[in-house]
Every structure is written in structure tokens, then in C-alpha cells.
Amino acid sequence: MTEFVFGSCCLAVDTEANRAWYASHPLPWVTCGCAGCRNFLQAVKLMPPAVTALFGALGLDPEKSGETC
């Protein structure tokens, strides 16, 4: 487990379990072709580097829409 501190909150995350889960579920998450989903897939590529780094540190993939909601 890795601990992340955000102000007065502490979050314990099993980053390796997160990465292993993604590795075992390689199919695309966004299968809809609507404008909202297409926009999401483009917008997530424009996130600030600090946000992308935070997702990476947590072992999360920001392109998986369920992780960014």
C-alpha cells in the first residue's frame, strides 16, 4: 500500500493491484461514439501534467472514464 496525503486526508492505495487490474482488462472502456465520449477521449489528453502524474502515482489510467468521474 502507498499512502497519499491531501491536506488533512490520508488515502491508502494498492497501486500495484490497480495496475494489475488494468493489465487484465485491456479492452477499450469508451465504446460509445457519441460527441460527449469523443470529446472526453480528446480532453483527457490535455490534462495538466500534475493531474496526469497524480493518476499515474495512484496506479489509475485517466483514459478510463470511470476513474475520472
Side-chain angles (χ1 to χ4, degrees), residues 11-67:
L11 177 66
V13 179
D14 189 340
T15 56
E16 292 307 314
N18 289 343
R19 291 184 182 100
W21 194 90
Y22 286 125
S24 68
H25 294 82
L27 297 176
W29 281 45
V30 177
T31 57
C32 175
C34 76
C37 288
R38 289 193 319 268
N39 286 342
F40 171 81
L41 290 173
Q42 293 303 311
V44 75
K45 296 174 188 174
L46 302 174
M47 289 190 306
V51 175
T52 303
L54 174 61
F55 274 100
L58 294 170
L60 301 175
D61 184 345
E63 291 189 8
K64 309 299 192 240
S65 58
E67 304 300 348

